[in-house]
Amino acid sequence: MKPVNVGLLGMGTVGGGTYNVLQRNAREITRRAGRGIQVVHAAARDLDTGQFSGLDNITLTEDVFEVVNNPDVDIVVELIGGYDLARKLVLQAIENGKHVVTANKALIAVHGNEIFEAAQRKGVTVAFEAAVAGGIPIIKALREGLSANEIEWIAGIINGTGNFILTEMKDKGRDFEDVLKEAQQLGYAEADPSFDIDGIDAAHKLTILASIAFGIPLQFDRVYTEGISHLTLDDVSYAEQLGYRIKHLGITRRTADGIELRVHPTLIPNRRLIANVDGVMNAVLVQGDAVGPTLYYGAGAGAEPTASAVVADLVDVTRSLTTDPENRVPHLAFQPDAMAEMNILPMAEVETACYLRMQASDQPGVMAEVTRILGSLDISIEAMLQKEPTEGQETVQIIMLTHRIREGKMDNAIKQIEQLDTINGSVTRIRMETLS
Ligand code: HSE
């Protein structure tokens, strides 16, 4: 059978990886897909660099729209990232009747509802396995493997750069900026690395996971998002001393009152498997009512791990080319007319346990004042740690772990504690989850 023709938008880290995997594993891919999959047209930002010599039988261009409008291209692979241009290209490809494979989580999280509606109308597929957790087939697992279940919650380490930074801080006491630079050099970080460290990238991915887990529209603007740049080496070390590890998690949970959607640093017991996921690796823990907990682990970024997901989508799309569009796996796992509008819980209504760190005057009665405030708001303390004052200082660090409490109440407690004359500066709050 005639090979399927692919147009590549973007020949950077993932584009290069995709081309290499398609070439190297061509025989196995053909055996799986039933026909060959070949790149015939590719767009790169700057063809003068010389890095594209030796790409046989591929038309190269700097004009991305040339690829999208090429009548010989069956599937467009969008790897340029970003919102606006990517949206235009994908909508144009759909309009031209082409299937699309994308690794662009920002695009799907923000414009996915519009894109899937357009694809549905045209009877084409937009596949996005590479958009979440790099090489881990988590979209496939949630959308197909777990389709018997009512999904209860998902918690994931879904940003490799952030996990790499936290791991290096914990293991080697390395400086935040220094590790970030290394992540950029290794090609893990986003073009704008604040997306990684401020949690925006993880929020994009969580938006997608929540949508296919619960059958709700993509709602990126409703995700509570907190990054990792305020974490100190002290926090990392105190968490360890208390038997916990700090991970930057994306968490979504179905509760009686609505859906939680939140990205923030989180203390988790260090005996949990997911607490031991280090470096650029990602892991997603999914709790289904029938299956119980399931854990998916693998490389969350990098050229070939991401290409693994892109090429798997190419195989899937190729296999489904001759199927009736009505009978394909729905983009967001649930039939488009069965999507539900569920309440997204405001953060103030979310319940979590907390780690609190504060700098207190080294004098009698301080602890009593703090515990009085917590007690008056029904906040119960689970553990406490007081560090000796460093030489020449008149303040001490106090660390407290609390039981679960509504975020709104904890906000109130922190505000009152910060107003005490005996407390210096602000209180650091890190949420805690047992993930059991
Ligand atoms: N910057 C992302 C990460 C790349 O570090 O996880 C993969 O989405």
Side-chain angles (χ1 to χ4, degrees):
M1 200 187 281
K2 178 175 147 311
V4 171
N5 289 339
V6 171
L8 265 188
L9 305 176
M11 286 294 279
T13 307
V14 181
T18 299
Y19 177 79
N20 289 339
V21 172
L22 280 173
Q23 290 288 109
R24 191 174 69 237
N25 296 342
R27 266 171 59 91
E28 291 294 82
I29 289 166
T30 306
R31 286 176 64 210
R32 289 189 166 110
R35 56 201 282 200
I37 299 175
Q38 63 183 15
V39 179
V40 293
H41 205 167
R45 200 177 294 154
D46 185 3
L47 292 178
D48 291 335
T49 58
Q51 60 176 320
F52 304 113
S53 58
L55 297 186
D56 299 334
N57 306 322
I58 300 182
T59 307
L60 292 170
T61 177
E62 288 182 3
D63 178 2
V64 274
F65 282 94
E66 229 180 68
V67 176
V68 160
N69 292 324
N70 178 347
D72 292 333
V73 166
D74 304 303
I75 308 174
V76 169
V77 177
E78 185 276 304
L79 302 172
I80 59 168
Y83 299 101
D84 296 337
L85 179 59
R87 171 180 167 273
K88 277 197 195 114
L89 287 164
V90 166
L91 289 175
Q92 182 69 48
I94 292 170
E95 188 52 38
N96 292 346
K98 298 183 194 308
H99 302 271
V100 175
V101 171
T102 179
N104 189 339
K105 50 267 162 143
L107 175 76
I108 298 298
V110 175
H111 298 299
N113 297 322
E114 177 192 16
I115 286 170
F116 295 138
E117 211 183 296
Q120 192 72 22
R121 272 199 309 273
K122 271 287 188 180
V124 296
T125 300
V126 176
F128 53 94
E129 181 66 70
V132 183
I136 307 175
I138 186 64
I139 302 295
K140 188 94 172 167
L142 266 176
R143 207 162 50 178
E144 298 175 50
L146 297 178
S147 58
N149 289 264
E150 178 153 301
I151 304 296
E152 294 171 353
W153 54 264
I154 298 175
I157 297 172
I158 44 181
N159 182 267
T161 303
N163 202 44
F164 182 63
I165 293 173
L166 290 179
T167 305
E168 291 290 299
M169 283 172 78
K170 169 178 72 71
D171 289 347
K172 304 183 187 150
R174 282 180 68 190
D175 175 64
F176 191 100
E177 289 298 329
D178 180 38
V179 192
L180 174 60
K181 258 189 220 127
E182 191 182 334
Q184 285 174 293
Q185 279 156 9
L186 292 169
Y188 301 152
E190 295 302 298
D192 175 353
S194 70
F195 273 44
D196 296 298
I197 59 185
D198 293 340
I200 299 161
D201 177 73
H204 286 144
K205 293 166 180 166
L206 185 74
T207 303
I208 298 171
L209 290 178
S211 183
I212 60 174
F214 305 125
I216 55 174
L218 295 147
Q219 297 167 79
F220 169 67
D221 54 347
R222 304 298 306 277
V223 183
Y224 171 81
T225 307
E226 192 182 297
I228 56 171
S229 52
H230 63 291
L231 295 176
T232 64
L233 282 172
D234 277 353
D235 292 320
V236 173
S237 144
Y238 297 153
E240 288 286 324
Q241 290 170 39
L242 290 158
Y244 292 82
R245 203 147 286 167
I246 303 179
K247 291 291 175 191
H248 198 202
L249 293 188
I251 299 173
T252 182
R253 188 190 307 268
R254 189 200 297 258
T255 74
D257 300 322
I259 303 286
E260 294 177 8
L261 270 179
R262 49 194 171 101
V263 170
H264 51 68
T266 314
L267 265 78
I268 45 181
N270 58 17
R271 62 184 181 280
R272 295 265 173 271
L273 279 176
I274 196 169
N276 295 286
V277 170
D278 284 338
V280 74
M281 302 308 273
N282 280 194
V284 185
L285 187 51
V286 181
Q287 175 80 22
D289 70 334
V291 72
T294 56
L295 180 66
Y296 308 82
Y297 168 84
E304 292 215 355
T306 312
S308 166
V310 170
V311 174
D313 271 350
L314 283 170
V315 171
D316 255 5
V317 173
T318 301
R319 284 172 176 154
S320 70
L321 284 176
T322 49
T323 59
D324 169 8
E326 296 301 313
N327 293 323
R328 292 182 189 144
V329 179
H331 289 109
L332 292 172
F334 292 72
Q335 297 298 332
D337 60 0
M339 295 295 280
E341 292 292 339
M342 292 187 203
N343 178 38
I344 305 294
L345 274 188
M347 198 57 193
E349 286 174 34
V350 168
E351 239 182 48
T352 68
C354 282
Y355 160 106
L356 303 176
R357 176 174 54 82
M358 60 203 81
Q359 195 78 27
S361 305
D362 189 16
Q363 65 186 61
V366 179
M367 200 70 94
E369 283 187 296
V370 173
T371 51
R372 181 190 50 76
I373 293 172
L374 293 174
S376 72
L377 289 159
D378 298 323
I379 302 174
S380 163
I381 298 167
E382 183 189 296
M384 213 151 64
L385 195 64
Q386 180 175 328
K387 307 308 284 184
E388 288 165 3
T390 29
E391 223 181 286
Q393 284 204 343
E394 283 162 13
T395 57
V396 290
Q397 299 239 54
I398 298 175
I399 296 95
M400 288 177 171
L401 303 185
T402 75
H403 286 282
R404 292 178 72 79
I405 190 73
R406 233 163 230 234
E407 179 99 356
K409 274 198 175 176
M410 185 54 86
D411 291 342
N412 185 352
I414 289 175
K415 209 160 125 201
Q416 290 189 44
I417 294 171
E418 286 175 345
Q419 280 164 0
L420 293 174
D421 291 338
T422 47
I423 297 295
N424 287 5
S426 53
V427 174
T428 296
R429 171 231 322 250
I430 308 176
R431 296 161 188 94
M432 287 195 342
E433 293 289 341
T434 56
L435 302 182
S436 53

